[in-house]
Amino acid sequence: YGRSVYTKVMKTPQDPVQWLDELLVGLGLEKGVNLMGYSFGGWTTTVYAQVHPERLDSIILVSPAATVEPLPSSWVVRGILAAIPLRITMDSMFHWAMPYLVEKGDEESKKLMEDLRSDGSMGLRNFKFKMPVTPTVLGDEEWKRIKTKALFIVGEKEVIYDSHLAVKKLKELAPGIRTEIVPNASHDLPL
């Protein structure tokens, strides 16, 4: 993404894993990597941990997209509309995904929202849009195979899945993964 030069279109979950592995190897980061991913990056991190646990020391999954539960249709519709670089379509996505940030309404929150809108709009205007790989839900056995030290962080009011059900599922399938639910947060957790 960004200034990367595409050599092929990413179509399957293995493609971002291969890209990330090539990046880490190219940077000389072949062992002891601590990898954190948010949303789509959280999904990528989880899938990467399945394929290359030997490279990782730990992973942090921040509100990973899909991964635990399928993305709701409301997310998909808003995501498609947000790809249209209009203020109203972007605001619809941000207001849905980041309600606590919107509700705060203080100057810092307003600036963060304006920066997000501006960055998104600039990206859509200046880079050719490529449909990303659709994040998948990991099966029970895939979760059980994760042996890398892991932390799963999710907002109490996450909009892409029920945070309490996600944590319950992980505690059953992968009790070695530490979980945290952050109060007063949604998909705006990093902000």
Side-chain angles (χ1 to χ4, degrees):
Y1 293 107
R3 294 180 185 211
S4 298
V5 176
Y6 286 85
T7 57
K8 70 176 191 174
V9 176
M10 292 191 188
K11 295 180 181 177
T12 70
Q14 292 73 34
D15 293 332
V17 167
Q18 180 183 347
W19 168 82
L20 181 57
D21 196 54
E22 289 172 3
L23 175 67
L24 293 175
V25 169
L27 293 172
L29 302 172
E30 298 181 37
K31 293 274 187 213
V33 174
N34 298 297
L35 189 60
M36 181 180 85
Y38 162 63
S39 197
F40 184 83
W43 170 76
T44 304
T45 298
T46 309
V47 177
Y48 187 84
Q50 302 268 322
V51 179
H52 292 289
E54 75 283 357
R55 297 213 192 283
L56 301 171
D57 186 48
S58 67
I59 58 174
I60 300 174
L61 312 172
V62 182
S63 302
T67 314
V68 183
E69 295 291 331
L71 291 171
S73 57
S74 52
W75 177 265
V76 175
V77 169
R78 281 182 171 85
I80 290 168
L81 290 174
I84 301 168
L86 298 173
R87 184 180 182 102
I88 192 167
T89 57
M90 296 180 119
D91 281 354
S92 173
M93 176 59 125
F94 292 142
H95 286 230
W96 178 77
M98 305 179 176
Y100 288 109
L101 189 61
V102 173
E103 288 170 13
K104 279 179 75 176
D106 61 0
E107 289 308 311
E108 182 180 3
S109 300
K110 287 177 184 176
K111 179 165 179 7
L112 279 171
M113 289 298 289
E114 189 55 42
D115 289 349
L116 285 169
R117 188 182 303 110
S118 176
D119 290 349
S121 180
M122 185 180 356
L124 288 169
R125 282 192 319 268
N126 293 297
F127 295 104
K128 182 178 178 185
F129 180 78
K130 292 188 183 339
M131 190 66 184
V133 174
T134 301
T136 55
V137 175
L138 272 67
D140 294 359
E141 294 306 312
E142 291 173 300
W143 280 113
K144 291 176 183 175
R145 281 197 304 266
I146 293 182
K147 301 301 180 203
T148 304
K149 184 175 150 186
L151 172 62
F152 177 92
I153 304 173
V154 65
E156 172 186 34
K157 300 291 184 183
E158 177 58 66
V159 294
I160 60 174
Y161 43 73
D162 183 301
S163 58
H164 295 282
L165 290 178
V167 165
K168 181 178 183 231
K169 181 177 181 177
L170 287 180
K171 286 183 177 183
E172 291 170 5
L173 297 175
I177 295 177
R178 194 172 124 218
T179 59
E180 295 286 335
I181 296 177
V182 178
N184 298 321
S186 183
H187 208 67
D188 52 8
L189 182 59
L191 300 173

